[in-house]
């Protein structure tokens, strides 16, 4: 293993979102490309919103995507525990260190006092920030305020007149004026550490070398660098990945459609399609190729090719990729994944028998070229379960009105009746002979047969449709349409 150590540290306040999944993937790919270590830890200090259910959902989604981790939650390792609420004594120890060294102080200001301070700064046209009024309290002041029942927070004493410069591996050089930050809280009055403090302690004690995360965390970086400096710790390298936008170029949200990995899984997207798609959201390969396995992504991935510009979530592209993987996957796998959707639609019930399974495999083979996700299969297979079909539109009705139609349907019915068995081979053979025997063009033969059997002018190959429907249904539909 190389010295590279990266982490994915989600907050378990909901399912794993597209943005979080992309961050996890980029960290995983970088670790695998560099022969490094990928760590997963849980940032659950938002006690009101965090839940074990969300944690389990996130971990299950990572596993489903194929992103294994070398160290961390449920895996263990030398730097645990890997859940922040189990690390409180560690944070307390480092908070005391900052307090004793003068880098932190107790602040007793109430919410009302802070709100008034913010309003006064805004009224003067200044950036709202904490003024540092509690920074120089004497022991007597502190005792008086505590006697009033005030519980202090711990604030970091931000030095004045400094510029923090970050050499970001994606965004290049980014500078921050610390005077606009104000003394920020590192431990809340209930003893729970804030994000910026906990993340620095965790990243240092876990030996993190590269912090690869979403662009929205860029504004946290100067606070974190100040903490690293106060402790005298080496600063990891930062790489802030661009935002993901919807098609309207606004930040992706629920109004753009499904936003969580779980939703895409439930709609019948394949994990390899999502991984391939997520990798291309903000990273570009060297050439024109767009289809990548995880192994290929591991070999090619580099932070140098991660774009600064926002990535646009293109659902059409995801659908195209998913359709490709549906067609490339073993038929048994796609059949197994399709069965729950057919059961939910009421097309099949009870346990699937071996005979039924063989028929379902044929069904999936017939329609999978049309699928962009597996939930969509129900729109393509209703013709095989319906007792009878009607022409779907005027075009289909016009096809059946052709003068040659009764002769065509009667000729096929005769062949079907005399056939010993119906499979794709026999169906293909009888269909091939019909145009010549009837002295008609292929379109005048096959289109009426298609509409008679399916009600539609487009769809699966007729040699697949006929054995799937079976002799009885085919004859009934031909008779009804003729």
């Amino acid at each position: 293993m190389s010295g590279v150590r990266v982490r994915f540290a989600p907050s378990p306040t909901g399912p794993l979102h597209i943005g979080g999944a992309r961050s996890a993937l980029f960290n995983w790919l970088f670790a695998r490309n560099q022969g490094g270590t990928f760590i997963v830890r849980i940032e659950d200090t938002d006690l009101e919103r965090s839940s074990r259910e969300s944690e389990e959902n996130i971990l299950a989604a990572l596993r489903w995507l194929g992103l294994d981790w070398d160290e961390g939650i449920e895996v263990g390792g030398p730097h645990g525990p890997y859940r922040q609420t189990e690390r409180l004594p560690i944070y307390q120890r480092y908070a005391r260190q900052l307090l004793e060294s003068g880098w932190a102080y107790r602040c007793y200001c109430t919410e009302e006092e802070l709100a008034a301070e913010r309003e006064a700064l805004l009224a003067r046209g200044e950036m709202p920030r904490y003024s540092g009024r509690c920074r120089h309290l004497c022991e007597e002041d502190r005792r008086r305020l505590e006697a009033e029942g005030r519980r202090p927070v711990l604030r970091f004493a931000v030095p004045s007149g400094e510029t923090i410069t970050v050499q970001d591996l994606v965004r290049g050089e980014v500078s921050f004026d610390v005077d606009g930050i104000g003394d920020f809280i590192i431990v809340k009055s209930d003893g729970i550490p804030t994000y910026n403090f906990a993340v620095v302690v965790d990243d240092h004690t876990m030996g993190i070398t590269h912090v690869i995360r979403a662009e929205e965390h860029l504004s946290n970086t100067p606070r974190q660098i100040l903490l690293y400096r106060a402790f005298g710790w080496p600063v990891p390298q930062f790489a802030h990945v661009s935002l993901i936008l919807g098609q309207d170029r606004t930040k992706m949200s629920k109004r753009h459609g499904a936003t969580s990995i779980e939703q895409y899984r439930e709609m019948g997207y394949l994990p390899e399609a999502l991984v391939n798609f997520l990798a291309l959201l903000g990273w570009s390969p060297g050439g024109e190729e767009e289809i990548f396995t995880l192994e290929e992504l591991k070999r090619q991935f580099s932070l140098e090719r991660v774009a600064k510009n926002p990535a646009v979530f293109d659902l059409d592209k995801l659908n195209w990729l998913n359709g490709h993987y549906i067609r490339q996957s073993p038929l048994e796998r796609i059949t197994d994944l399709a069965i729950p959707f057919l059961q939910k639609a009421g097309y099949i019930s009870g346990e699937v028998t071996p005979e039924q399974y063989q028929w379902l495999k044929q069904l999936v083979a017939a329609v999978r070229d049309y699928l962009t996700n597996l939930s969509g299969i129900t729109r393509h297979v209703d013709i095989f379960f319906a007792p009878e079909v009607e022409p779907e539109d005027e075009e289909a009705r016009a096809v059946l009105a052709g003068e040659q139609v009764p002769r065509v349907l009667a000729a096929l019915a005769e062949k079907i009746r005399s056939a010993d068995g119906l499979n794709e081979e026999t169906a293909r053979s009888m269909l091939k002979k019909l145009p010549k025997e009837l002295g008609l063009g292929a379109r005048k033969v096959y289109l009426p047969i298609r509409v008679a059997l399916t009600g539609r002018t487009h769809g699966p190959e007729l040699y697949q449709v006929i054995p799937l429907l079976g002799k009885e249904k085919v004859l009934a539909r031909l008779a009804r349409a003729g």
Side-chain angles (χ1 to χ4, degrees):
M1 299 288 263
S2 77
V4 166
R5 288 174 64 82
V6 296
R7 47 70 169 180
F8 176 56
S11 296
T13 56
L16 179 62
H17 284 191
I18 289 291
R22 189 201 42 182
S23 293
L25 175 63
F26 280 15
N27 276 282
W28 187 90
L29 289 173
F30 184 69
R32 295 293 174 258
N33 177 272
Q34 298 291 313
T37 302
F38 177 55
I39 299 158
V40 173
R41 67 169 189 253
I42 298 295
E43 297 188 344
D44 61 344
T45 51
D46 185 342
L47 302 179
E48 284 183 16
R49 295 170 62 224
S50 295
S51 72
R52 284 298 172 92
E53 183 187 358
S54 292
E55 182 183 307
E56 286 160 16
N57 174 291
I58 290 166
L59 299 179
L62 290 175
R63 289 194 183 97
W64 181 72
L65 290 169
L67 307 182
D68 57 332
W69 52 101
D70 310 299
E71 189 181 310
I73 198 84
E74 293 189 355
V75 170
H79 305 288
Y82 294 94
R83 191 181 284 114
Q84 282 187 337
T85 49
E86 296 170 8
R87 294 173 61 79
L88 297 181
I90 298 171
Y91 305 131
Q92 286 161 5
R93 187 166 74 248
Y94 286 109
R96 270 197 309 275
Q97 189 177 320
L98 289 179
L99 201 55
E100 288 163 6
S101 62
W103 279 107
Y105 62 92
R106 295 181 179 89
C107 169
Y108 297 86
C109 294
T110 64
E111 279 300 317
E112 292 76 20
E113 288 167 342
L114 294 172
E117 194 174 85
R118 272 196 300 273
E119 283 172 28
L121 285 166
L122 284 168
R124 295 201 299 270
E126 294 179 35
M127 182 74 81
R129 65 189 183 282
Y130 182 64
S131 64
R133 62 198 282 181
C134 288
R135 197 192 269 212
H136 303 295
L137 290 177
C138 64
E139 192 59 40
E140 187 183 332
D141 290 334
R142 281 199 288 270
R143 277 201 298 269
R144 176 177 53 77
L145 291 165
E146 282 174 18
E148 289 176 18
R150 299 196 189 199
R151 295 176 65 196
V153 298
L154 214 56
R155 285 187 185 270
F156 182 79
V158 175
S160 60
E162 281 194 32
T163 298
I164 299 283
T165 300
V166 184
Q167 295 296 335
D168 193 276
L169 296 173
V170 172
R171 317 206 73 75
E173 188 175 290
V174 188
S175 294
F176 301 89
D177 178 2
V178 300
D179 287 346
I181 294 174
D183 294 352
F184 55 93
I185 298 171
I186 57 173
V187 181
K188 292 180 276 190
S189 59
D190 58 3
I192 300 295
T194 59
Y195 166 75
N196 282 310
F197 179 60
V199 79
V200 167
V201 170
D202 290 346
D203 283 346
H204 172 73
T205 55
M206 294 179 191
I208 300 303
T209 60
H210 295 74
V211 174
I212 305 167
R213 60 188 180 187
E215 182 186 358
E216 60 207 39
H217 287 294
L218 186 59
S219 60
N220 289 316
T221 308
R223 292 172 177 81
Q224 292 168 15
I225 289 175
L226 286 169
L227 283 163
Y228 278 109
R229 288 183 183 174
F231 282 118
W233 294 340
V235 179
Q237 289 190 274
F238 290 96
H240 287 92
V241 183
S242 65
L243 292 173
I244 299 175
L245 305 180
Q247 290 280 44
D248 60 358
R249 302 196 73 81
T250 60
K251 188 178 176 185
M252 195 179 171
S253 64
K254 287 177 183 174
R255 73 172 184 281
H256 294 109
T259 57
S260 73
I261 296 300
E262 182 180 45
Q263 286 172 299
Y264 285 97
R265 183 179 185 175
E266 286 172 354
M267 288 190 288
Y269 286 84
L270 303 184
E272 57 268 41
L274 269 169
V275 161
N276 195 156
F277 177 71
L278 289 171
L280 298 175
L281 277 180
W283 171 81
S284 59
E288 296 298 309
E289 182 61 45
E290 291 193 298
I291 306 288
F292 295 95
T293 64
L294 256 183
E295 284 301 312
E296 289 164 340
L297 288 169
K298 269 164 49 176
R299 283 197 298 275
Q300 289 206 34
F301 186 81
S302 72
L303 290 172
E304 285 77 21
R305 301 198 68 86
V306 174
K308 288 183 194 178
N309 299 327
V312 175
F313 188 97
D314 182 348
L315 186 58
D316 291 337
K317 185 167 188 176
L318 174 57
N319 286 337
W320 173 76
L321 280 168
N322 202 52
H324 166 81
Y325 284 107
I326 286 172
R327 291 187 293 279
Q328 296 299 311
S329 292
L331 183 57
E332 287 79 5
R333 179 194 179 203
I334 301 303
T335 303
D336 292 343
L337 291 171
I339 285 171
F341 294 105
L342 297 172
Q343 288 170 327
K344 190 178 177 184
Y347 289 136
I348 51 176
S349 58
E351 200 163 326
V352 176
T353 65
E355 295 78 16
Q356 248 186 318
Y357 187 76
Q358 289 307 311
W359 183 84
L360 288 167
K361 263 172 63 178
Q362 282 180 267
L363 180 71
V364 171
V367 302
R368 74 164 161 176
D369 281 1
Y370 305 96
L371 303 180
T372 56
N373 59 53
L374 290 169
S375 62
I377 193 169
T378 55
R379 294 195 302 276
H380 297 280
V381 301
D382 53 343
I383 56 169
F384 298 104
F385 295 95
E388 50 193 44
V389 292
E390 294 289 341
E392 68 173 352
D393 54 24
E394 281 302 320
E395 184 192 355
R397 275 190 283 278
V399 167
L400 289 183
E403 60 177 3
Q404 88 288 6
V405 170
R407 195 157 60 97
V408 169
L409 301 186
L412 179 60
E414 183 54 41
K415 287 183 182 292
I416 297 287
R417 269 191 291 271
S418 59
D420 289 336
L422 276 186
N423 55 40
E424 288 189 9
E425 198 178 328
T426 57
R428 197 196 290 259
S429 174
M430 64 175 72
L431 287 164
K432 192 177 179 184
K433 292 171 185 170
L434 269 179
K436 196 171 183 183
E437 289 173 1
L438 294 167
L440 292 166
R443 184 174 171 80
K444 288 202 167 186
V445 173
Y446 298 141
L447 203 51
I449 291 171
R450 177 175 297 286
V451 175
L453 296 182
T454 70
R456 300 169 186 174
T457 53
H458 302 281
E461 298 288 350
L462 283 172
Y463 65 79
Q464 295 173 306
V465 170
I466 288 169
L468 279 166
L469 287 172
K471 187 179 280 194
E472 195 179 311
K473 229 176 209 180
V474 168
L475 289 172
R477 289 187 186 184
L478 291 172
R480 193 163 186 271

